[in-house]
Amino acid sequence: MSQAEFQRNYFELFDLPVGFEVDQQQLGTRYRQAQGELHPDRYAGASAHEQRLAVQYSALINQAYATLRTPLSRAIYLLELRGISQQELTSQPVDGAFLIMQMELREKLETSADLMDPEPVLEHLIAEISQDIAAEQARFGSSWVAEEFTRASSACIKMQYLDKLLREAEQTEANLLEK
């Protein structure tokens, strides 16, 4: 482990090609290998500097794994590699038709708790949101490969909106199941 290791991007840390599609099994295998190499017991007799580097590198590996494991964070990271920051991403306009669709989905979510039997409605809503997320992920992936980064950014923004809505719908469903 050297200082140069800290300069590598997350894909390079796991020896993976830079792209939206990631082999999750390979990622998991390489993550476990890296963590095994950085286990604190391996550095028990090392200098304080080497121990500190091992802890810092382990934290970097954890962050890289968490980022590459999920499509949304991976998409955001890929755009960052292209020089598009999260701040720039969130300041981009979102098309009106998508925002209307979001409002309709959100209204369904908010009114579902008032229904006599909200579970089927919530299940359907979660499935609908999940399909929309999959469509945006596919759009991001194809845009990324075609190097159409404006289109990829647009898909990423929609993935963020949909991901937030999905988490809220899942939380609403979990709250109903607890009752």
Side-chain angles (χ1 to χ4, degrees):
M1 168 181 27
S2 67
Q3 289 291 344
E5 295 288 325
F6 291 93
Q7 305 302 316
R8 298 169 63 193
N9 73 43
Y10 293 167
F11 293 95
E12 292 169 340
L13 289 174
F14 296 115
D15 197 25
L16 295 170
V18 176
F20 186 60
E21 299 301 323
V22 168
D23 182 332
Q24 292 294 316
Q25 188 173 0
Q26 236 180 9
L27 175 63
T29 299
R30 292 186 179 153
Y31 169 72
R32 286 185 294 280
Q33 286 172 342
Q35 285 300 345
E37 293 170 10
L38 297 168
H39 193 276
D41 290 347
R42 294 181 144 245
Y43 292 88
S47 70
H49 175 73
E50 289 171 323
Q51 288 178 359
R52 190 177 67 246
L53 276 179
V55 169
Q56 290 172 342
Y57 193 65
S58 179
L60 178 65
I61 292 294
N62 287 335
Q63 176 66 36
Y65 178 69
T67 300
L68 297 184
R69 199 165 51 103
T70 61
L72 177 56
S73 60
R74 188 169 54 246
I76 292 169
Y77 182 69
L78 283 167
L79 292 172
E80 286 175 6
L81 289 177
R82 293 294 307 176
I84 302 168
S85 71
Q86 174 70 29
Q87 197 171 27
E88 289 173 283
L89 197 59
T90 54
S91 67
Q92 291 185 9
V94 180
D95 75 68
F98 176 77
L99 289 176
I100 289 171
M101 182 191 78
Q102 280 291 291
M103 289 173 22
E104 291 171 355
L105 290 172
R106 188 162 297 283
E107 188 176 315
K108 283 183 189 175
L109 176 61
E110 290 171 358
T111 59
S112 66
D114 300 332
L115 299 172
M116 291 289 288
D117 188 15
E119 280 185 46
V121 173
L122 279 171
E123 286 177 15
H124 182 273
L125 182 61
I126 288 170
E128 185 178 348
I129 297 167
S130 296
Q131 287 175 345
D132 291 345
I133 288 173
E136 292 304 328
Q137 288 173 351
R139 194 162 74 95
F140 182 91
S142 64
S143 299
W144 180 261
V145 168
E147 298 187 1
E148 295 174 3
F149 302 115
T150 301
R151 193 167 171 240
S153 295
S154 173
C156 186
I157 291 167
K158 291 175 182 176
M159 287 164 58
Q160 287 178 307
Y161 275 93
L162 291 165
D163 184 68
K164 181 180 179 190
L165 186 60
L166 179 62
R167 283 186 275 123
E168 290 173 15
E170 289 172 340
Q171 184 60 51
T172 300
E173 184 179 47
N175 291 343
L176 287 172
L177 293 174
E178 288 178 6
K179 289 182 180 179

